[in-house]
Amino acid sequence: MSLTAAMKTAQSSFSNVGLQSAVVSKNIANASDPAYARRAAVLATATSGATVVETQRAQNEALLKQNLLSISKASAQDTVLAGLSRMKMMLGGEDYELAPSTYLAKLRDNLQTFADKPNEVSLAETVVADAIDVATSLNSTSEALQKLRSEADADIDTAVKELNRLLKEFKTYNDQVRQGTAAGTDVNDALDQRDKLLTQISGLVGVTTVNRTNNDLALYTSDGTVLFETEARAVSFVPTTTYTATVTGNQVLIDGVPVQMGAAGNTSARGTIAGLLQIRDHAAPTFQAQLDETARSLINMFSENTVGGAMDGLFIRNGVAVGDDLTVDTVVPGLSTVIKVNPAVITNQGGNAKLLRDGINETFNIDNNASFSVLLNNYAAAFETPVTFDPAAAIDTNTSLLAFSSGSVGWLEQLRSAATTAADDKNALLARTQEALQSVTSVSLDEELALLLDLEQSYKASAKLVAAVDEMITALLQAAG
């Protein structure tokens, strides 16, 4: 090897060590950033020795796509579970002590006790108090459900705004990647930012990716709607400020195509938005229908067949026209919000609790018999008598009121239990997927420090080569002198 070749080799080595050290230093500086993918300086053989030709970014497309899918599934599942858990808390939590079914069972028991001793005024007052508890439970649960829907609607609005912001930012980095790749410049930092945005977008809506020329990336929702293709597609939503049982929320549109809500406890939803839509448009309305059917059955059960026809008795439809036919087996939306106990039997409102025994709209106990219990026994028996319910309530359509109200609790608990199990599974899968992806892309400080030691040795070797060349040149000059 000539002295000139030796000097060129040493110079190339110094240059390589400098570039590699810069890459390692950047890796170490970003080791704690989960969005940063490890870099590696790639060497190629040249006439003067090895040369750094590019800086490669650690990546695995298959794992990245699986991670995006896992994020969207887990986000949707957590959203559905949170909504169902809120619904359970409306009923009192683990024991469901605030559920209408709990108060209905108590009403039935005390009504039977009153029927056995119809002359006891205190028992009549107890039954009326129980009836008020039932109505209050239906009212408060219905109002809480509509509040949940309203909050879900507001969360959807926030998520849509965030999604539009992320898509706008995604375009910025996607353009940098596309243009940088075409020009042959380093685009690794832009790729990091683009992948970070991808994970955030997938938490809001299910995403699939398609790589195109020059690392250009197109995004589609899980059902195939274009989300981003050179330009971000518009995601639109008009929020609804006030919710009642008769109000239907607006759709979320991506480029004019509606986002589909999820279904079931183990939800089919992908992303937070679809999960929120499931709570707002399916879970809460279905439970509302169950409450409304409970209220309809109660009003019918305690109605009185008078000479003028059937009239509301213990329970009245406050705010719903008396002429409305509640005997038709169809949900009356919002009935559970307005059902009340008839003031005619509430003592502190000027009523008389004993009218429950004798008749509220007309007197059935004509002789004012203290042992008259015909109406009371009929009411108690009606709790166990099968009636027809609207299929929209999603539980048994022909059963007793007590069984129906208990079935409503069972429906919610089954849905929530399935959501809990699915959330555990999907979050476990997400954790494993992220771990697998990070094992490929994340920075290992031990490995980087070991590489620094190797580079130090390379630097020392190059320095020795330069020193040897220097000695040779000095010797030659001395010999020539």
Side-chain angles (χ1 to χ4, degrees), residues 186-216:
D186 188 352
V187 296
N188 289 325
D189 289 342
L191 284 169
D192 280 348
Q193 293 302 315
R194 192 176 73 173
D195 283 357
K196 179 181 179 179
L197 291 169
L198 265 179
T199 60
Q200 294 173 325
I201 291 170
S202 66
L204 298 174
V205 62
V207 174
T208 58
T209 62
V210 175
N211 276 306
R212 303 190 299 184
T213 306
N214 292 325
N215 266 332
D216 183 26

mmCIF file of all heavy atoms in Angstrom, residues 186-216:
data_model
loop_
_atom_site.group_PDB
_atom_site.id
_atom_site.type_symbol
_atom_site.label_atom_id
_atom_site.label_comp_id
_atom_site.label_asym_id
_atom_site.label_seq_id
_atom_site.Cartn_x
_atom_site.Cartn_y
_atom_site.Cartn_z
ATOM 1 N N ASP A 186 -32.350 12.900 3.142
ATOM 2 C CA ASP A 186 -32.719 12.153 4.344
ATOM 3 C C ASP A 186 -34.134 12.540 4.787
ATOM 4 O O ASP A 186 -34.411 13.714 5.064
ATOM 5 C CB ASP A 186 -31.728 12.453 5.463
ATOM 6 C CG ASP A 186 -31.941 11.572 6.690
ATOM 7 O OD1 ASP A 186 -32.943 10.828 6.729
ATOM 8 O OD2 ASP A 186 -31.113 11.635 7.622
ATOM 9 N N VAL A 187 -35.028 11.548 4.862
ATOM 10 C CA VAL A 187 -36.421 11.820 5.259
ATOM 11 C C VAL A 187 -36.790 11.068 6.541
ATOM 12 O O VAL A 187 -37.965 10.966 6.872
ATOM 13 C CB VAL A 187 -37.400 11.423 4.134
ATOM 14 C CG1 VAL A 187 -37.177 12.263 2.890
ATOM 15 C CG2 VAL A 187 -37.277 9.930 3.807
ATOM 16 N N ASN A 188 -35.780 10.575 7.257
ATOM 17 C CA ASN A 188 -36.072 9.745 8.428
ATOM 18 C C ASN A 188 -36.851 10.495 9.518
ATOM 19 O O ASN A 188 -37.761 9.937 10.137
ATOM 20 C CB ASN A 188 -34.770 9.184 9.011
ATOM 21 C CG ASN A 188 -34.159 8.115 8.113
ATOM 22 O OD1 ASN A 188 -34.892 7.356 7.477
ATOM 23 N ND2 ASN A 188 -32.844 8.064 8.043
ATOM 24 N N ASP A 189 -36.488 11.750 9.765
ATOM 25 C CA ASP A 189 -37.206 12.513 10.793
ATOM 26 C C ASP A 189 -38.668 12.716 10.400
ATOM 27 O O ASP A 189 -39.568 12.625 11.232
ATOM 28 C CB ASP A 189 -36.539 13.869 11.018
ATOM 29 C CG ASP A 189 -35.197 13.742 11.729
ATOM 30 O OD1 ASP A 189 -34.949 12.676 12.337
ATOM 31 O OD2 ASP A 189 -34.388 14.694 11.684
ATOM 32 N N ALA A 190 -38.904 12.989 9.127
ATOM 33 C CA ALA A 190 -40.280 13.157 8.648
ATOM 34 C C ALA A 190 -41.059 11.846 8.751
ATOM 35 O O ALA A 190 -42.254 11.838 9.065
ATOM 36 C CB ALA A 190 -40.270 13.666 7.207
ATOM 37 N N LEU A 191 -40.356 10.730 8.491
ATOM 38 C CA LEU A 191 -41.017 9.423 8.625
ATOM 39 C C LEU A 191 -41.426 9.151 10.074
ATOM 40 O O LEU A 191 -42.502 8.607 10.345
ATOM 41 C CB LEU A 191 -40.083 8.315 8.128
ATOM 42 C CG LEU A 191 -39.944 8.179 6.610
ATOM 43 C CD1 LEU A 191 -38.799 7.225 6.268
ATOM 44 C CD2 LEU A 191 -41.252 7.675 5.991
ATOM 45 N N ASP A 192 -40.555 9.535 11.010
ATOM 46 C CA ASP A 192 -40.896 9.385 12.435
ATOM 47 C C ASP A 192 -42.179 10.143 12.759
ATOM 48 O O ASP A 192 -43.088 9.616 13.406
ATOM 49 C CB ASP A 192 -39.766 9.913 13.314
ATOM 50 C CG ASP A 192 -38.624 8.920 13.465
ATOM 51 O OD1 ASP A 192 -38.800 7.749 13.078
ATOM 52 O OD2 ASP A 192 -37.556 9.322 13.964
ATOM 53 N N GLN A 193 -42.244 11.392 12.325
ATOM 54 C CA GLN A 193 -43.406 12.218 12.618
ATOM 55 C C GLN A 193 -44.658 11.685 11.918
ATOM 56 O O GLN A 193 -45.761 11.715 12.481
ATOM 57 C CB GLN A 193 -43.142 13.668 12.203
ATOM 58 C CG GLN A 193 -42.069 14.358 13.027
ATOM 59 C CD GLN A 193 -42.406 14.362 14.508
ATOM 60 O OE1 GLN A 193 -43.528 14.651 14.913
ATOM 61 N NE2 GLN A 193 -41.430 14.020 15.343
ATOM 62 N N ARG A 194 -44.497 11.191 10.708
ATOM 63 C CA ARG A 194 -45.647 10.650 9.978
ATOM 64 C C ARG A 194 -46.195 9.403 10.666
ATOM 65 O O ARG A 194 -47.418 9.245 10.795
ATOM 66 C CB ARG A 194 -45.256 10.344 8.526
ATOM 67 C CG ARG A 194 -46.451 10.050 7.640
ATOM 68 C CD ARG A 194 -46.055 9.849 6.200
ATOM 69 N NE ARG A 194 -45.379 8.578 5.973
ATOM 70 C CZ ARG A 194 -45.055 8.099 4.778
ATOM 71 N NH1 ARG A 194 -45.334 8.820 3.695
ATOM 72 N NH2 ARG A 194 -44.440 6.945 4.632
ATOM 73 N N ASP A 195 -45.310 8.528 11.127
ATOM 74 C CA ASP A 195 -45.760 7.320 11.832
ATOM 75 C C ASP A 195 -46.414 7.668 13.169
ATOM 76 O O ASP A 195 -47.377 7.020 13.595
ATOM 77 C CB ASP A 195 -44.578 6.370 12.061
ATOM 78 C CG ASP A 195 -44.196 5.618 10.791
ATOM 79 O OD1 ASP A 195 -44.886 5.793 9.771
ATOM 80 O OD2 ASP A 195 -43.195 4.879 10.832
ATOM 81 N N LYS A 196 -45.882 8.697 13.825
ATOM 82 C CA LYS A 196 -46.482 9.135 15.089
ATOM 83 C C LYS A 196 -47.913 9.618 14.856
ATOM 84 O O LYS A 196 -48.833 9.293 15.627
ATOM 85 C CB LYS A 196 -45.638 10.258 15.697
ATOM 86 C CG LYS A 196 -46.184 10.808 17.009
ATOM 87 C CD LYS A 196 -45.303 11.933 17.546
ATOM 88 C CE LYS A 196 -45.864 12.504 18.841
ATOM 89 N NZ LYS A 196 -44.991 13.598 19.379
ATOM 90 N N LEU A 197 -48.111 10.378 13.795
ATOM 91 C CA LEU A 197 -49.450 10.855 13.461
ATOM 92 C C LEU A 197 -50.367 9.694 13.093
ATOM 93 O O LEU A 197 -51.559 9.704 13.425
ATOM 94 C CB LEU A 197 -49.379 11.859 12.305
ATOM 95 C CG LEU A 197 -48.733 13.205 12.638
ATOM 96 C CD1 LEU A 197 -48.469 13.999 11.361
ATOM 97 C CD2 LEU A 197 -49.616 14.006 13.586
ATOM 98 N N LEU A 198 -49.821 8.695 12.432
ATOM 99 C CA LEU A 198 -50.607 7.521 12.063
ATOM 100 C C LEU A 198 -51.181 6.827 13.304
ATOM 101 O O LEU A 198 -52.352 6.419 13.323
ATOM 102 C CB LEU A 198 -49.748 6.527 11.279
ATOM 103 C CG LEU A 198 -49.797 6.589 9.758
ATOM 104 C CD1 LEU A 198 -48.874 5.539 9.163
ATOM 105 C CD2 LEU A 198 -51.210 6.389 9.258
ATOM 106 N N THR A 199 -50.357 6.672 14.331
ATOM 107 C CA THR A 199 -50.835 6.016 15.548
ATOM 108 C C THR A 199 -51.933 6.847 16.220
ATOM 109 O O THR A 199 -52.898 6.294 16.755
ATOM 110 C CB THR A 199 -49.675 5.787 16.539
ATOM 111 O OG1 THR A 199 -49.094 7.043 16.906
ATOM 112 C CG2 THR A 199 -48.606 4.910 15.932
ATOM 113 N N GLN A 200 -51.807 8.175 16.160
ATOM 114 C CA GLN A 200 -52.834 9.037 16.757
ATOM 115 C C GLN A 200 -54.130 8.977 15.955
ATOM 116 O O GLN A 200 -55.228 8.946 16.525
ATOM 117 C CB GLN A 200 -52.323 10.478 16.845
ATOM 118 C CG GLN A 200 -51.155 10.639 17.815
ATOM 119 C CD GLN A 200 -50.552 12.043 17.767
ATOM 120 O OE1 GLN A 200 -50.491 12.663 16.708
ATOM 121 N NE2 GLN A 200 -50.105 12.532 18.901
ATOM 122 N N ILE A 201 -54.009 8.957 14.640
ATOM 123 C CA ILE A 201 -55.203 8.862 13.787
ATOM 124 C C ILE A 201 -55.915 7.537 14.001
ATOM 125 O O ILE A 201 -57.149 7.473 14.082
ATOM 126 C CB ILE A 201 -54.799 9.035 12.301
ATOM 127 C CG1 ILE A 201 -54.350 10.471 12.039
ATOM 128 C CG2 ILE A 201 -55.951 8.666 11.371
ATOM 129 C CD1 ILE A 201 -53.712 10.688 10.682
ATOM 130 N N SER A 202 -55.143 6.448 14.111
ATOM 131 C CA SER A 202 -55.756 5.124 14.277
ATOM 132 C C SER A 202 -56.501 4.997 15.598
ATOM 133 O O SER A 202 -57.387 4.164 15.737
ATOM 134 C CB SER A 202 -54.687 4.030 14.173
ATOM 135 O OG SER A 202 -53.769 4.113 15.250
ATOM 136 N N GLY A 203 -56.140 5.832 16.597
ATOM 137 C CA GLY A 203 -56.891 5.816 17.836
ATOM 138 C C GLY A 203 -58.271 6.410 17.675
ATOM 139 O O GLY A 203 -59.187 6.112 18.449
ATOM 140 N N LEU A 204 -58.465 7.246 16.650
ATOM 141 C CA LEU A 204 -59.760 7.898 16.411
ATOM 142 C C LEU A 204 -60.617 7.154 15.399
ATOM 143 O O LEU A 204 -61.844 7.117 15.518
ATOM 144 C CB LEU A 204 -59.527 9.331 15.920
ATOM 145 C CG LEU A 204 -58.808 10.257 16.905
ATOM 146 C CD1 LEU A 204 -58.504 11.600 16.245
ATOM 147 C CD2 LEU A 204 -59.639 10.460 18.156
ATOM 148 N N VAL A 205 -59.966 6.575 14.390
ATOM 149 C CA VAL A 205 -60.708 5.871 13.352
ATOM 150 C C VAL A 205 -59.822 4.760 12.799
ATOM 151 O O VAL A 205 -58.609 4.913 12.706
ATOM 152 C CB VAL A 205 -61.131 6.853 12.229
ATOM 153 C CG1 VAL A 205 -59.923 7.462 11.557
ATOM 154 C CG2 VAL A 205 -62.057 6.199 11.235
ATOM 155 N N GLY A 206 -60.429 3.632 12.459
ATOM 156 C CA GLY A 206 -59.656 2.519 11.901
ATOM 157 C C GLY A 206 -58.971 2.926 10.603
ATOM 158 O O GLY A 206 -59.588 3.546 9.734
ATOM 159 N N VAL A 207 -57.695 2.572 10.463
ATOM 160 C CA VAL A 207 -56.905 3.029 9.310
ATOM 161 C C VAL A 207 -56.177 1.854 8.657
ATOM 162 O O VAL A 207 -55.617 1.001 9.338
ATOM 163 C CB VAL A 207 -55.855 4.080 9.750
ATOM 164 C CG1 VAL A 207 -54.936 4.441 8.596
ATOM 165 C CG2 VAL A 207 -56.543 5.335 10.254
ATOM 166 N N THR A 208 -56.191 1.843 7.321
ATOM 167 C CA THR A 208 -55.307 0.966 6.552
ATOM 168 C C THR A 208 -54.461 1.860 5.656
ATOM 169 O O THR A 208 -54.906 2.934 5.228
ATOM 170 C CB THR A 208 -56.096 -0.039 5.686
ATOM 171 O OG1 THR A 208 -56.963 0.686 4.799
ATOM 172 C CG2 THR A 208 -56.931 -0.953 6.557
ATOM 173 N N THR A 209 -53.239 1.416 5.372
ATOM 174 C CA THR A 209 -52.301 2.247 4.610
ATOM 175 C C THR A 209 -51.900 1.571 3.312
ATOM 176 O O THR A 209 -51.842 0.342 3.234
ATOM 177 C CB THR A 209 -51.035 2.534 5.436
ATOM 178 O OG1 THR A 209 -50.375 1.284 5.726
ATOM 179 C CG2 THR A 209 -51.395 3.224 6.742
ATOM 180 N N VAL A 210 -51.615 2.390 2.307
ATOM 181 C CA VAL A 210 -51.124 1.890 1.013
ATOM 182 C C VAL A 210 -49.924 2.741 0.623
ATOM 183 O O VAL A 210 -50.036 3.964 0.482
ATOM 184 C CB VAL A 210 -52.204 1.965 -0.082
ATOM 185 C CG1 VAL A 210 -51.620 1.552 -1.428
ATOM 186 C CG2 VAL A 210 -53.397 1.102 0.285
ATOM 187 N N ASN A 211 -48.762 2.088 0.478
ATOM 188 C CA ASN A 211 -47.545 2.791 0.059
ATOM 189 C C ASN A 211 -47.538 2.954 -1.448
ATOM 190 O O ASN A 211 -47.830 2.014 -2.206
ATOM 191 C CB ASN A 211 -46.304 1.992 0.487
ATOM 192 C CG ASN A 211 -45.913 2.287 1.919
ATOM 193 O OD1 ASN A 211 -45.732 3.434 2.296
ATOM 194 N ND2 ASN A 211 -45.806 1.239 2.717
ATOM 195 N N ARG A 212 -47.166 4.155 -1.879
ATOM 196 C CA ARG A 212 -47.119 4.437 -3.305
ATOM 197 C C ARG A 212 -45.739 4.995 -3.672
ATOM 198 O O ARG A 212 -44.829 4.986 -2.853
ATOM 199 C CB ARG A 212 -48.244 5.416 -3.670
ATOM 200 C CG ARG A 212 -49.627 4.877 -3.281
ATOM 201 C CD ARG A 212 -50.767 5.698 -3.833
ATOM 202 N NE ARG A 212 -50.758 7.072 -3.369
ATOM 203 C CZ ARG A 212 -51.714 7.946 -3.667
ATOM 204 N NH1 ARG A 212 -52.729 7.572 -4.435
ATOM 205 N NH2 ARG A 212 -51.658 9.189 -3.213
ATOM 206 N N THR A 213 -45.583 5.486 -4.880
ATOM 207 C CA THR A 213 -44.289 5.968 -5.375
ATOM 208 C C THR A 213 -43.708 7.030 -4.458
ATOM 209 O O THR A 213 -44.428 7.895 -3.948
ATOM 210 C CB THR A 213 -44.455 6.538 -6.788
ATOM 211 O OG1 THR A 213 -45.082 5.562 -7.626
ATOM 212 C CG2 THR A 213 -43.104 6.921 -7.379
ATOM 213 N N ASN A 214 -42.378 6.925 -4.249
ATOM 214 C CA ASN A 214 -41.637 7.898 -3.431
ATOM 215 C C ASN A 214 -42.113 7.942 -1.976
ATOM 216 O O ASN A 214 -42.141 9.002 -1.347
ATOM 217 C CB ASN A 214 -41.704 9.298 -4.042
ATOM 218 C CG ASN A 214 -40.957 9.410 -5.350
ATOM 219 O OD1 ASN A 214 -39.914 8.773 -5.542
ATOM 220 N ND2 ASN A 214 -41.482 10.203 -6.280
ATOM 221 N N ASN A 215 -42.484 6.773 -1.471
ATOM 222 C CA ASN A 215 -42.908 6.674 -0.063
ATOM 223 C C ASN A 215 -44.183 7.455 0.241
ATOM 224 O O ASN A 215 -44.485 7.739 1.398
ATOM 225 C CB ASN A 215 -41.809 7.149 0.889
ATOM 226 C CG ASN A 215 -40.945 6.003 1.375
ATOM 227 O OD1 ASN A 215 -41.407 4.871 1.450
ATOM 228 N ND2 ASN A 215 -39.695 6.298 1.683
ATOM 229 N N ASP A 216 -44.918 7.820 -0.811
ATOM 230 C CA ASP A 216 -46.200 8.493 -0.606
ATOM 231 C C ASP A 216 -47.161 7.500 0.046
ATOM 232 O O ASP A 216 -47.180 6.322 -0.294
ATOM 233 C CB ASP A 216 -46.757 8.966 -1.958
ATOM 234 C CG ASP A 216 -48.041 9.740 -1.812
ATOM 235 O OD1 ASP A 216 -48.260 10.331 -0.735
ATOM 236 O OD2 ASP A 216 -48.834 9.766 -2.771
#
